[in-house]
């Protein structure tokens, strides 16, 4: 067994605290990664606090993992010791269902194995990236260019692919008018990608204070969503709107902004269902859709695109000793735009 150190929640009401545990010795196709950085995703907070009702403890969260390969199994072909690599939200899937065979492992019909808080095919509880190492099948490990700042790359493994995949699926690019709702960890990546793909991008926000930042990140226009007149001016004009907000909010005000055949895609996951005025869909043949992360091939494609176009997340680096304070600040949306843990802090006080 491999010895691991990390920070875990022991139950839903306790703060994260130091925790020692073991991981499996590498099997034939496994890669052992020494973790350098791990992003702090809002899911980590929902999960450790059992806000989705399916938590298994003790739980070491973290699924935006960057590190270096330290060992490989005998059958590993894509990586060698010393390579910089990334691990995201899932670490296994069935590999044989229609979705897996179509490189859409995230929609595996048998069910994916989450990077933390799930039982894997060996019956072991998975533990995430708020730790010094991880053992993962190479199919779920990504090559990371050393051209980019590794701390800024970490959030690409969840926030990046979550926004990149739907923008690609619905072919956002030149000549398209695209809206991004919410400017947080997900939203700021959606904005960067939509801008980079050549679309005309409109950022929606509730806060005047975010206008300058949205423009810096690539918005052509910023609309304050509380301003009914400003919203009305945008009616029937969008090809695609990416909604990154996970708090319950009114979708109808946005649906009416889509053109005929426009698509509204939800990537935030509110904990209560929205009320939809079906007229907003029927009368313009609009679609309401959703999307979650991306397949392994597409995730690699996204990482390569980011290396070619010099795209990383805007991050605030913290030592792991400040993780509980960082959770509180994420809940208050007080971060620009992602906390990333420097895992070198783990052995320090
Ligand atoms: Zn995430
Ligand atoms: Zn499958």
């Amino acid at each position: 067994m491999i010895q691991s150190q990390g920070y875990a929640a022991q139950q839903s009401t306790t703060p994260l605290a130091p925790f020692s545990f073991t991981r499996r010795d590498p099997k034939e196709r496994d890669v052992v990664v020494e973790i350098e950085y791990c992003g702090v995703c809002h899911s980590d907070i929902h999960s450790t606090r059992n806000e989705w009702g399916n938590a298994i403890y003790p739980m070491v969260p973290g699924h935006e993992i960057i590190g270096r390969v330290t060992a490989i199994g005998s059958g590993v072909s894509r990586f060698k010791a010393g390579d910089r690599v990334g691990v995201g939200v899932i670490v296994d899937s069935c590999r044989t269902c229609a979705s897996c065979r179509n490189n859409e492992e995230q929609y595996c019909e048998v069910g994916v194995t989450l990077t933390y808080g799930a039982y894997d095919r060996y019956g072991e509880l998975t533990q995430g990236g708020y730790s010094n190492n991880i053992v993962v099948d190479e199919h779920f490990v990504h090559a990371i260019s050393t051209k980019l700042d590794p701390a800024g790359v970490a959030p690409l493994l969840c926030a990046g692919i979550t926004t990149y995949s739907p923008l690609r699926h619905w072919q956002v690019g030149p000549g398209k008018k695209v809206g991004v709702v919410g400017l947080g960890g997900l939203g700021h990546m959606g904005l960067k990608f939509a801008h980079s793909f050549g679309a005309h991008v409109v950022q929606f926000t509730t806060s005047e204070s975010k206008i300058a930042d949205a423009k810096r990140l690539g918005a052509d226009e910023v609309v304050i969503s509380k301003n009914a007149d400003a919203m009305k001016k945008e009616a029937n004009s969008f090809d695609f709107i990416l909604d990154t907000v996970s708090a319950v909010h009114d979708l109808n005000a946005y649906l009416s902004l889509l053109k005929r055949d426009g698509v509204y895609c939800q990537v935030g996951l509110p904990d209560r269902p929205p009320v939809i005025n079906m007229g907003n869909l029927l009368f313009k043949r609009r679609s309401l859709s959703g999307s979650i992360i991306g397949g392994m091939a597409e995730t690699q494609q996204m990482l390569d695109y980011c290396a070619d176009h010099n795209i990383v997340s805007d991050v605030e680096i913290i030592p792991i000793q400040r993780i509980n304070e960082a959770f509180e600040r994420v809940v208050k949306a007080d971060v620009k735009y992602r906390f990333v843990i420097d895992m070198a802090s783990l052995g320090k006080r």
Side-chain angles (χ1 to χ4, degrees):
M1 298 293 248
I2 292 177
Q3 289 299 317
S4 304
Q5 312 289 330
Y7 265 53
Q10 295 294 338
Q11 45 179 306
S12 63
T13 51
T14 53
L16 300 197
F19 177 61
S20 298
F21 58 106
T22 58
R23 298 188 185 271
R24 67 173 181 266
D25 284 321
K27 296 183 189 291
E28 197 182 351
R29 304 252 172 221
D30 280 341
V31 173
V32 184
V33 180
E34 185 176 80
I35 300 174
E36 299 172 286
Y37 294 98
C38 186
V40 177
C41 176
H42 209 138
S43 309
D44 301 341
I45 301 169
H46 289 303
S47 299
T48 53
R49 296 180 177 177
N50 198 21
E51 288 167 357
W52 289 328
N54 54 358
I56 308 169
Y57 300 98
M59 180 189 289
V60 178
H63 60 204
E64 296 182 338
I65 299 165
I66 294 292
R68 295 273 188 183
V69 175
T70 54
I72 56 171
S74 60
V76 169
S77 59
R78 291 172 53 224
F79 303 103
K80 59 180 192 311
D83 287 353
R84 178 165 278 148
V85 295
V87 176
V89 177
I90 62 177
V91 290
D92 206 356
S93 68
C94 85
R95 327 283 179 96
T96 55
C97 75
S99 293
C100 284
R101 279 187 280 118
N102 206 31
N103 298 317
E104 302 267 26
E105 297 90 344
Q106 74 278 29
Y107 301 118
C108 175
E109 284 135 53
V110 178
V112 298
T113 304
L114 295 173
T115 299
Y116 64 85
Y119 287 102
D120 64 20
R121 64 172 69 212
Y122 310 108
E124 288 171 19
L125 181 59
T126 58
Q127 300 290 8
Y130 293 11
S131 61
N132 61 340
N133 56 35
I134 192 165
V135 181
V136 181
D137 184 296
E138 70 168 330
H139 186 73
F140 295 84
V141 177
H142 307 286
I144 302 291
S145 168
T146 48
K147 277 199 289 189
L148 296 175
D149 163 39
V153 174
L156 300 178
L157 275 309
C158 176
I161 188 60
T162 297
T163 51
Y164 179 96
S165 181
L167 292 169
R168 283 301 198 207
H169 182 78
W170 278 284
Q171 297 167 352
V172 162
K176 297 281 179 77
K177 184 173 174 183
V178 173
V180 176
V181 182
L183 185 56
L186 290 173
H188 94 290
M189 289 312 305
L191 183 49
K192 286 188 184 201
F193 284 132
H195 172 71
S196 177
F197 296 166
H200 181 88
V201 193
V202 179
Q203 177 70 48
F204 293 97
T205 177
T206 52
S207 146
E208 304 252 355
S209 66
K210 289 188 173 174
I211 294 175
D213 229 22
K215 291 197 165 158
R216 173 182 68 82
L217 292 163
D220 297 289
E221 298 174 54
V222 182
V223 172
I224 302 299
S225 55
K226 290 181 293 193
N227 181 336
D229 287 338
M231 291 290 275
K232 216 173 202 172
K233 277 189 198 135
E234 304 286 332
N236 301 317
S237 69
F238 284 84
D239 296 281
F240 184 80
I241 297 177
L242 184 72
D243 188 332
T244 68
V245 175
S246 57
V248 175
H249 58 293
D250 178 25
L251 302 191
N252 294 295
Y254 295 104
L255 288 172
S256 63
L257 307 188
L258 291 167
K259 283 180 184 167
R260 171 175 55 78
D261 290 326
V263 174
Y264 196 88
C265 180
Q266 187 74 39
V267 291
L269 184 60
D271 58 7
R272 277 179 287 126
V275 174
I276 304 293
N277 174 357
M278 289 300 162
N280 281 330
L281 301 179
L282 271 60
F283 293 111
K284 288 272 188 293
R285 199 166 55 195
R286 297 169 178 132
S287 302
L288 173 58
S289 189
S291 180
I292 195 157
I293 54 170
M296 296 306 102
E298 189 178 44
T299 302
Q300 188 63 59
Q301 195 186 89
M302 179 268 312
L303 290 163
D304 295 344
Y305 181 90
C306 288
D308 289 345
H309 294 82
N310 201 25
I311 295 174
V312 290
S313 188
D314 287 25
V315 301
E316 181 176 334
I317 298 174
I318 56 163
I320 195 152
Q321 291 79 4
R322 284 180 48 209
I323 188 59
N324 293 302
E325 174 194 332
F327 272 18
E328 291 309 320
R329 285 183 54 195
V330 171
V331 170
K332 286 186 279 185
D334 175 25
V335 54
K336 286 184 175 174
Y337 282 90
R338 205 63 146 182
F339 286 112
V340 171
I341 304 163
D342 178 357
M343 218 48 73
S345 63
L346 194 55
K348 301 178 185 155
R349 275 212 61 88

